[in-house]
Amino acid sequence: MKKRILIVGGGTAGTMTANNLAKKLMYEIDKDEIEITMISNSKYHYYRPGAMYVAFHKASGQEFVREQRTLLMPEINFLVDEAVQIDTNENFVKGKSGTIYKYDFVILATGCEVAVDRIPGLKEGGDWFYSYDGAKKLAKKFGQLKKGRVLVTVNFPKTPNVPHQCGIAPIETTIMLHDHLKEQGLRDDIEIVYTYPKVAQAVTDGLFLQGPTSKVLPSIFDGIGVKYKTSFTLNKVDPDKKIAYSQEGEEIEFDILMSTPPFIATKFIRESGLSKAVDDEGWLPTDKKTLKVKGYDNIYTLGDTVDLPVSKAGGTIHNQTDVVADNIASEIRYGYPTESYDGKVIAIAQMGLSCGMPLWYDYKEDVKPTPCSKLGSFVRKGFNMGIYWAAARGMV
Ligand SMILES: Cc1cc2nc3c(=O)[nH]c(=O)nc-3n(C[C@H](O)[C@H](O)[C@H](O)COP(=O)(O)OP(=O)(O)OC[C@H]3O[C@@H](n4cnc5c(N)ncnc54)[C@H](O)[C@@H]3O)c2cc1C
């Protein structure tokens, strides 16, 4: 009988995996033995890291959007619909349209969302670049600021050992901000204060979520005059007085608060009953090797929805997608999964407006910080402007 593979979410994870699956299973698709369907709640696909460039007036945002249908191989059915319920006994996902999508295998890839409401005053007093709207608002404020202080804060999920979206983004944007202000001739009049919470995954009292990078950051920040403070776990903002308060009892005044806000899984996942993450954060309990949702043999997940200790990043998904696609293809062909994820993450961090640093780590080994370079920035620009779309199509 024909097997149905359903992918929920047409972002980086869903798109790469749908295309990889279609390629691997083309023989069976041609014989009408397999059907691949994707549902996503948007007709459009956003290259999310592009928002960082919008915040510093280096892009308008339109260059980072494509119609989702154009990114998928023609063999994949694509429907715009919002998943509202999953029934793991009857093996179906229900869409907001009322449609029932039956599956033999389902891949849950709905990413995560910003949850600013979880910190009192942050919505009114803070800014963030993790969405295009947020980045545009921030860009406008940067355009108006002529002197004062930009405060950088970072929040982590309460679920132990789960990172926020794109672990390196707060450092990338702090250094991009320094370069941007220098370009504008404003750097001497605007102070940048980078703060980090007390507990950041495995690191306590550091400046980054991994030890080796945390240790080199003071020398990098000293070199560009960025002030820094560890153990500042943001827990309240006074938007009128423009003061940020920490759980540790400190307060810092700001003119602009550039925050990495709390993140949670999407509503559909939080209400699915599949997660037991603390504080209703909704991260899916994920087998670190097979990438199956724990306790379910025919449910896979990857990308920002998982509870794994690796970065919620495209550079992670690029290494997870083949594991999921190979495992589903093997289960269909041989009856068992064959691949195992080792926690690998590969990316190029944008360390300032014209410097790129390769990142490479896995479950066992942390990133080894290396000097950033213009060549790195050139490759990163190539990824932003074109390679990403090839990667989403499963070509790179
Ligand atoms: C500012 C910023 C900078 C970043 N920088 C980097 C970087 O430098 N390097 C890097 O590797 N990564 C970076 N990332 C992270 C990277 O973009 C994400 O990790 C990646 O996009 C996550 O992919 P995903 O498919 O899990 O989620 P998404 O790309 O968010 O896709 C989720 C999809 O699910 C859909 N969806 C949501 N709910 C439903 C529902 N109920 N039903 C149907 N569809 C639904 C959405 O419309 C969307 O299409 C950055 C992210 C941001 C925001």
Side-chain angles (χ1 to χ4, degrees), residues 9-13 40-41 48-49 83 111 165-166 304 312-315 317 380:
T12 305
S40 193
N41 62 359
R48 299 197 180 284
Q165 190 177 49
C166 193
D304 289 1
K312 297 193 181 300
I317 295 164
R380 171 72 194 230

Side-chain angles (χ1 to χ4, degrees), residues 8-14 39-42 44 46-52 81-84 109-112 129-131 165-166 168-169 172 266 268 302-305 312-317 346-350 380 388:
V8 186
T12 305
I39 60 166
S40 193
N41 62 359
S42 174
Y44 298 102
Y46 296 87
Y47 172 59
R48 299 197 180 284
M52 291 194 300
D81 200 355
E82 180 165 324
V84 291
T110 51
C112 63
F129 49 80
Y130 290 89
S131 68
Q165 190 177 49
C166 193
I168 195 79
E172 289 178 300
T266 54
F268 159 61
L302 73 166
D304 289 1
T305 316
K312 297 193 181 300
T316 309
I317 295 164
I346 306 173
I348 295 192
Q350 185 76 63
R380 171 72 194 230
Y388 173 73

